[in-house]
């Protein structure tokens, strides 16, 4: 690597993608809040959860099962760890995709100790037989162990000690109602306000032992897509820049220069996001255009465009999903510094319906199976 170059290998992917790989998870571990009071923002969920936990501690009983829903990188795993820590118990971790058969889940459940917290990430991806086993375990603290095969098979009930399931999901709409109903408390994590992300950045900078100016924290927060994981990731990249090309202090100049190197624009769009907008507006006159065609134009798989770039573009009101395909909103044209020509969807939609971005968000929420935001 050339002297002064910044190595993006640690990222293992997109700088502003909200998922995380193994390498990144290790970097994140050091920055995780350990107590509820250190968990920044999400005031409503924090208050509600605090009541659930303190009541259970006062009663000396395992709390109700907890379901945490919300997009990736907003703190579901962190909250699960905090729940176990606040209860003074240990956390067992598994995930929907890791459990292939009901027997795998039975093995995990039957090894739980009294009061332990079982964290099931991506719980909406559990296979149906495992789901059914989980209902019974959550409700009756019992698993039925099947012995033998075929007509001679019998189920031997095995009592489990009281425990608490913390389920995390990015798609709560996909959870079957019987499973959702087994959770006594559901907390929905929403994207963070910029002021909260600034606090996340200042806290993380303290833990990393770097000096960050308020204006720099503000700048990074504004480009972090409402997501603490991205805020921490951008902070680490700005730290790299400051150490390699600056004087080690994370000031506004360092923040802007580093984020320019990584092509993260002032509202947090990266190269793929901009390529999608560009193709939509310049190549397809603002759409509507089908996902496959759009993906082909930007040289990506349709799934990548749909799951990686599109959610944020839709949330920001730059792209709308209509029954006839993707369309660029007036905000998208604006962001690219272009004027929506007459006859485009944006020009027409803006004239008919002034709250274009709200309309786009509503479409997105409906597509995600969530209630449209007010
Ligand atoms: N409220 C918060 N305050 C401070 N840091 C936070 C907060 N929420 C998340 N973080 C940080 O963001 C990173 C990602 O959080 P976490 O892994 O808990 O997200 P997640 O919702 O479980 O994501 P995924 O669904 O991808 O597993 C962690 O490093 C964590 O420390």
């Amino acid at each position: 690597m050339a002297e002064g170059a910044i190595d993006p290998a640690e990222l293992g992917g997109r700088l502003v993608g909200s998922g995380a790989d193994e390498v990144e998870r290790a970097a994140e571990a050091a920055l995780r809040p350990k107590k509820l009071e250190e968990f920044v923002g999400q005031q409503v969920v924090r208050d509600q959860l605090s009541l659930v936990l303190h009541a259970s501690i006062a009663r000396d009983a395992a709390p109700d099962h907890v379901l945490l829903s919300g997009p990736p990188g907003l703190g579901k795993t962190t909250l699960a760890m905090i729940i176990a820590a606040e209860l003074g118990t240990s956390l067992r971790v598994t995930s929907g995709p890791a459990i292939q058969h009901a027997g795998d889940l039975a093995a995990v459940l039957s090894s739980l100790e009294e009061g332990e917290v079982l964290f099931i990430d991506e719980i909406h991806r559990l296979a149906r037989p495992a789901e059914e086993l989980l209902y019974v375990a959550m409700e009756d603290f019992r698993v039925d162990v099947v012995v033998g095969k075929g007509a001679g098979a019998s189920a031997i009930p095995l009592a489990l000690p009281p425990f608490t399931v913390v389920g995390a999901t990015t798609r709560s709409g996909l959870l079957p109602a019987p499973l959702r109903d087994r959770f006594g408390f559901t907390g929905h994590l929403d994207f963070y306000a910029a002021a909260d992300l600034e606090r996340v950045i200042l806290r993380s900078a303290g833990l990393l032992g770097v000096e960050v100016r308020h204006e720099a924290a503000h700048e990074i927060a504004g480009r972090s897509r409402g997501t603490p994981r991205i805020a921490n990731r951008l902070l680490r990249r700005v730290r790299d820049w400051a150490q390699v090309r600056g004087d080690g202090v994370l000031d506004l100049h360092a923040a802007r220069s580093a984020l320019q190197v990584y092509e993260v624009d002032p509202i947090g769009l990266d190269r793929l996001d901009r390529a999608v907008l560009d193709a939509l507006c310049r190549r397809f006159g603002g759409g509507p255009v089908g996902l496959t065609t759009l993906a082909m134009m930007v040289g990506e798989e349709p799934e990548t465009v749909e799951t990686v770039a599109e959610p944020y573009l839709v949330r920001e009101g730059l792209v709308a999903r209509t029954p006839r395909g993707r369309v660029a909103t007036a905000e998208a044209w604006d962001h690219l510094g272009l004027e929506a020509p007459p006859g485009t969807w944006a020009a027409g939609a803006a004239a008919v319906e002034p709250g274009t971005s709200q309309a786009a968000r509503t479409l997105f929420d409906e597509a995600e199976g969530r209630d449209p935001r007010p």
Side-chain angles (χ1 to χ4, degrees):
M1 198 167 71
E3 197 187 337
I6 293 169
D7 182 5
E10 182 198 333
L11 302 173
R14 258 175 112 224
L15 198 58
V16 295
S18 45
D21 63 12
E22 285 310 310
V23 181
E24 168 136 44
R25 294 245 176 225
E28 280 179 352
L31 303 178
R32 274 189 206 288
K34 307 263 184 307
K35 296 189 197 135
L36 209 45
E37 66 197 31
E38 292 171 17
F39 192 82
V40 176
Q42 307 289 348
Q43 188 68 38
V44 173
V45 172
R46 222 154 27 100
D47 280 353
Q48 294 169 339
L49 201 52
S50 164
L51 269 175
V52 171
L53 296 179
H54 285 110
S56 103
I57 292 168
R59 286 195 301 267
D60 197 20
D64 273 357
H65 305 297
V66 173
L67 180 65
L68 300 171
S69 73
L74 300 194
K76 299 182 294 297
T77 307
T78 305
L79 274 181
M81 291 178 170
I82 288 175
I83 290 171
E86 296 273 346
L87 293 172
T89 185
S90 45
L91 181 78
R92 305 283 290 271
V93 180
T94 186
S95 74
I99 293 172
Q100 301 279 325
H101 309 284
D104 299 340
L105 183 60
V108 174
L109 289 168
S110 55
S111 69
L112 287 175
E113 309 230 339
E114 180 163 354
E116 275 191 324
V117 174
L118 174 63
F119 177 52
I120 308 180
D121 203 2
E122 297 188 73
I123 195 167
H124 58 276
R125 293 178 64 190
L126 273 179
R128 179 51 63 90
E131 236 171 56
E132 284 166 6
L133 188 105
L134 188 60
Y135 305 157
V136 178
M138 289 169 75
E139 183 121 330
D140 301 334
F141 296 105
R142 188 190 89 218
V143 278
D144 293 324
V145 181
V146 180
V147 185
K149 281 192 173 155
S154 58
I156 302 177
L158 178 72
L160 302 173
F163 63 94
T164 300
V165 172
V166 177
T169 179
T170 48
R171 308 286 301 272
S172 60
L174 294 184
L175 272 195
L179 181 55
R180 224 178 10 226
D181 293 346
R182 272 16 180 228
F183 290 96
F185 169 69
T186 298
H188 180 73
L189 301 187
D190 221 327
F191 289 102
Y192 289 63
D196 286 336
L197 287 181
E198 257 181 76
R199 288 168 56 209
V200 169
I201 291 163
L202 293 171
R203 175 182 174 277
S204 298
L207 292 171
L208 292 171
V210 293
E211 192 180 334
V212 61
R213 302 261 191 265
H214 273 273
E215 317 83 73
H218 183 76
E219 186 73 18
I220 300 169
R223 301 188 192 204
S224 299
R225 297 172 170 243
T227 306
R229 168 172 294 139
I230 299 175
N232 282 338
R233 191 186 289 160
L234 296 185
L235 172 70
R236 292 198 295 271
R237 300 291 69 79
V238 175
R239 175 186 62 169
D240 291 349
W241 193 97
Q243 283 173 349
V244 176
R245 298 190 185 161
D247 58 4
V249 176
L250 280 62
D251 56 16
L252 189 57
H253 173 65
R256 287 191 174 153
S257 307
L259 296 175
Q260 191 175 3
V261 169
Y262 286 102
E263 302 182 294
V264 179
D265 83 6
I267 62 164
L269 303 192
D270 71 358
R271 196 206 301 222
L272 174 61
D273 302 318
R274 283 190 303 271
V276 169
L277 286 189
D278 217 64
L280 249 181
C281 293
R282 291 185 213 265
R283 297 290 189 127
F284 300 107
V289 59
L291 176 66
T292 316
T293 315
L294 186 59
M296 218 153 38
M297 282 313 299
V298 299
E300 281 291 351
E301 292 297 320
E303 201 194 337
T304 309
V305 171
E306 188 174 30
T307 59
V308 177
E310 203 170 74
Y312 184 67
L313 295 174
V314 174
R315 180 165 72 86
E316 287 302 294
L318 295 159
V319 169
R321 293 204 280 218
T322 72
R324 293 178 51 222
R326 276 64 180 166
V327 291
T329 65
E331 284 89 339
W333 290 93
D334 223 36
H335 189 69
L336 294 179
L338 303 170
E339 196 166 329
T344 56
W345 189 89
V352 177
E353 191 172 10
T356 308
S357 39
Q358 182 55 44
R361 285 193 198 105
T362 303
L363 278 166
F364 175 57
D365 286 336
E366 283 170 357
E368 291 288 297
R370 279 194 273 131
D371 286 342
R373 284 181 253 176

